[in-house]
Amino acid sequence: MGPPLPSDRIVRDLHALDAATCPHPDDPEDRALRRRMLDVIGTVIPYDFYAFVLTDPQTTVGTSPLAEVPDLDDLPRVIRLKYLTRPGRWTTLDASGCTTLLAATGGDLGRSDQWEGALRQHGVTDVLVAVLRDRHGTWGFLDLWRRTGVFASAEVAAVASALPRLTAAVRNVVARSFVVGPPAAAPKAATAYGPGVLLLGDDLTPVAGTRQLRDWLTTLLPTAGDAGPVPASALNVAAQLLAVEAGVDDHPPSGRVALAPGTWLTVRADRLTEPLSGASIAVGYELTSPADRLDLFARAHAMSPRESDVVVAVATGLDTRGAARRLGITELTVQDHLKSVFARTGAASRADLLARALGS
């Protein structure tokens, strides 16, 4: 028997990633998990740089990037062009969920705005693009950059075969973000001053931001030494705004991101009515609303539509009888759905369930 195929090796090695990771306190679980995934993929498929971005499952917009790029100062341009590029966009990939930039451009990399405007100068010769999605939403996308040669069909097939496992693992780590941690785990800045705002230019260069914003950005993406926080989530939603305006994509320029266990922020971009000191785009950060938390909670825990309806009914204060009447089902069916939800979420009671879903 010959050596295992690349796809067999990746799927085999990813089995160990289903369990919860034990990251360093300064490296949240979702980032630690993605690093381990990249290590596994890298043992089979060589690459030079990468961007592994978690997305809001509903809007498909990036919220938590993990990237290694040739020039960090070039990041705003790379992100802006990623969102404005049609060929190989993660939102348009076929059922395989995986392709290469060379294939997506029909062999002409110049058709890619991102390659022509940014990757070319860094010597990139091909990009493997993959999307992590299931019936509950889009959970992330992965770009692997190669500076020498192109990605072979066997390498693309290997990543494609691993996508269901990668997607499930990422969705599960999002679900675990709803577990309510000790009070000290949630930064005081989360409620100290109200919404945070960042102003950017059309080239996504930051112009100004509020005091609240810096605290939140530092928590979302810690940096070493005296380096300032990188507004990666803001760059992504702002780039999506540009994509919507350009007619490239129609998903709203917003996303939900975990700030700390049990604490979620919603990030939104909007166009200023008039430019202000070089700024033309405003990105706002605010605590996620109860309705949006419930939606994400249900998606992350792979609930059925009816299970989600029951949780929403309970969250509005209805008892079993009231939920049954609202949904047009029997009280026994409501209880059965709740038992299933408890099993999915690990909640021990309705109060525990709502504490996880809504925060406490």
Side-chain angles (χ1 to χ4, degrees):
M1 182 180 295
L5 296 173
S7 57
D8 296 332
R9 289 178 58 189
I10 287 182
V11 172
R12 178 196 65 194
D13 293 344
L14 285 174
H15 276 283
L17 298 184
D18 284 342
T21 58
C22 298
H24 187 277
D26 293 331
D27 199 6
E29 185 183 2
D30 68 90
R31 295 174 64 83
L33 177 66
R34 281 179 281 168
R35 292 188 197 280
R36 291 177 62 196
M37 288 175 170
L38 288 163
D39 287 344
V40 169
I41 293 172
T43 62
V44 179
I45 302 174
Y47 59 86
D48 296 293
F49 301 101
Y50 65 84
F52 197 162
V53 183
L54 298 191
T55 59
D56 184 295
Q58 184 176 34
T59 69
T60 76
V61 178
T63 55
S64 178
L66 176 67
E68 183 176 323
V69 296
D71 183 2
L72 189 60
D73 292 336
D74 199 30
L75 190 61
R77 178 170 61 157
V78 170
I79 293 176
R80 180 174 63 84
L81 292 174
K82 170 68 176 177
Y83 278 76
L84 289 172
T85 298
R86 286 183 170 88
R89 203 176 196 273
W90 69 100
T91 53
T92 62
L93 297 186
D94 62 20
S96 72
C98 194
T99 190
T100 66
L101 189 58
L102 195 66
T105 58
D108 180 8
L109 292 178
R111 291 178 53 206
S112 165
D113 293 337
Q114 189 189 37
W115 185 84
E116 186 68 29
L119 304 188
R120 182 178 187 177
Q121 75 178 54
H122 296 304
V124 173
T125 55
D126 201 7
V127 181
L128 190 153
V129 185
V131 61
L132 282 64
R133 65 188 175 202
D134 58 20
R135 63 189 179 90
H136 304 287
T138 298
W139 300 96
F141 62 83
L142 171 64
D143 285 3
L144 302 178
W145 300 1
R146 184 172 281 179
R147 277 177 155 172
T148 303
V150 301
F151 288 97
S153 58
E155 293 174 317
V156 176
V159 174
S161 69
L163 283 177
R165 187 169 294 278
L166 293 172
T167 302
V170 166
R171 179 172 51 73
N172 288 337
V173 84
V174 173
R176 288 194 290 273
S177 297
F178 280 92
V179 175
V180 179
K188 183 178 180 181
T191 57
Y193 308 112
V197 178
L198 178 67
L199 301 180
L200 308 96
D202 266 24
D203 61 355
L204 303 192
T205 299
V207 175
T210 62
R211 177 176 56 172
Q212 169 74 83
L213 178 77
R214 183 179 179 87
D215 292 335
W216 281 355
L217 292 180
T218 302
T219 303
L220 288 170
L221 193 59
T223 54
D226 296 328
V230 178
S233 52
L235 297 180
N236 276 261
V237 295
Q240 177 64 17
L241 175 65
L242 297 178
V244 171
E245 293 175 340
V248 174
D249 188 69
D250 60 2
H251 289 94
S254 66
R256 295 160 289 188
V257 58
L259 179 69
T263 303
W264 284 83
L265 298 179
T266 295
V267 190
R268 293 188 177 90
D270 201 358
R271 174 72 60 178
L272 293 175
T273 55
E274 295 182 5
L276 178 64
S277 300
S280 54
I281 298 173
V283 176
Y285 289 72
E286 61 185 359
L287 292 175
T288 301
S289 70
D292 284 339
R293 281 186 62 114
L294 282 170
D295 171 78
L296 185 57
F297 183 78
R299 292 173 183 269
H301 289 93
M303 292 185 197
S304 69
R306 184 55 84 188
E307 288 171 343
S308 178
D309 290 342
V310 169
V311 173
V312 170
V314 171
T316 61
L318 294 177
D319 59 12
T320 299
R321 178 176 295 180
R325 288 177 176 174
R326 172 183 290 185
L327 300 176
I329 57 180
T330 68
E331 294 180 32
L332 182 59
T333 300
V334 170
Q335 293 173 341
D336 286 342
H337 283 312
L338 282 174
K339 288 178 182 178
S340 177
V341 168
F342 291 158
R344 289 181 184 277
T345 63
S349 64
R350 296 190 188 195
D352 185 24
L353 175 66
L354 296 182
R356 294 167 187 256
L358 301 176
S360 63

